[in-house]
Amino acid sequence: MYKMSLMPLFTAEAIQEMVQLLGEKIARNYKFDTIVGVLTGSFVFVSDLCRHFPNKDIKVSFIRASSYGDSTESSGQLKVSLLDELDLKGKKVLLIDDILDTGRTLQKLVDLLKEKGADEVRSCVLLEKRARREVDYKADFVGFSIEDGFVVGYGLDCAGEYRTMPDIWTLESEN
Ligand code: XMP
């Protein structure tokens, strides 16, 4: 069993400030034409972040990637779907995920999007966990950086729960 931290790790206000900063930084530094969000965890982040890019030509698509099942530990097996729907030939892609943890998910997804013909792929995450990287992968645009811990809220879940909460909380084991 898990319990939520007593206080939010990041409040809804702090998240909105960070999303605005990230949006401005990305708009200044990368001219892209396609957003690819990674379901399910990034759906809230994508919807907030994309409204900082008022360019009418930007397309938004989603792929699904999962390796967690119903626990707070990755199974190590990445399942990717919805890729076949994408036409990325010659596109400049902004790949958006919720968290960079071991780095395996984004490293693999960048390779898959390039295999689909994307001209350039840069990635953006709301959060990175510094302590847990297992592969040499850095996201191009990072919001919050935390040491470790399992986090929920603002789209992030544990077994499908907590996603609709506006703040981000740490989940702790009760044992
Ligand atoms: P990797 O290890 O491949 O993991 O970088 C990235 C994916 O793992 C999920 N993840 C989390 N989801 N709270 C969550 O709700 C967490 O603390 C957490 N850590 C990793 C997430 O889906 C991310 O895309």
Side-chain angles (χ1 to χ4, degrees):
M1 289 299 287
Y2 303 100
K3 66 172 181 339
M4 281 163 57
S5 48
L6 290 177
M7 304 281 286
L9 182 62
F10 301 111
T11 62
E13 292 74 22
I15 295 168
Q16 289 312 318
E17 278 172 29
M18 180 56 82
V19 171
Q20 178 167 353
L21 284 175
L22 264 178
E24 289 168 1
K25 185 170 179 190
I26 294 167
R28 273 198 312 275
N29 289 285
Y30 184 37
K31 295 283 164 263
F32 59 95
D33 44 43
T34 305
I35 287 172
V36 176
V38 184
L39 293 171
T40 306
S42 77
F43 79 103
V44 183
F45 181 39
V46 171
S47 72
D48 282 346
L49 187 64
C50 75
R51 280 174 281 174
H52 292 279
F53 310 128
N55 181 342
K56 69 175 169 45
D57 300 333
I58 296 173
K59 307 275 170 38
V60 181
S61 312
F62 286 92
I63 54 177
R64 182 181 297 279
S66 63
S67 55
Y68 270 66
D70 277 355
S71 83
T72 58
E73 285 297 321
S74 171
S75 68
Q77 288 287 88
L78 185 68
K79 278 194 275 176
V80 181
S81 51
L82 302 178
L83 253 185
D84 292 345
E85 329 270 306
L86 300 184
D87 176 10
L88 296 180
K89 287 206 181 58
K91 303 290 187 205
K92 291 197 182 303
V93 175
L94 180 68
L95 176 63
I96 304 180
D97 202 359
D98 47 10
I99 292 193
L100 180 66
D101 187 3
T102 65
R104 292 186 186 283
T105 301
L106 278 187
Q107 187 183 55
K108 177 80 186 164
L109 292 180
V110 168
D111 286 349
L112 289 172
L113 298 186
K114 286 187 176 159
E115 276 169 28
K116 298 255 335 160
D119 195 30
E120 187 172 0
V121 181
R122 295 199 202 173
S123 59
C124 170
V125 291
L126 179 63
L127 270 129
E128 68 164 5
K129 293 187 201 171
R130 291 186 297 271
R132 293 181 30 106
R133 204 76 74 256
E134 288 174 11
V135 294
D136 185 18
Y137 181 80
K138 280 197 181 76
D140 297 284
F141 304 99
V142 177
F144 300 109
S145 185
I146 61 173
E147 192 58 21
D148 200 355
F150 197 83
V151 292
V152 294
Y154 193 72
L156 295 156
D157 77 309
C158 180
E161 297 185 355
Y162 306 95
R163 284 197 202 280
T164 59
M165 295 174 6
D167 307 304
I168 292 178
W169 303 74
T170 306
L171 215 57
E172 289 151 12
S173 172
E174 273 187 322
N175 307 316

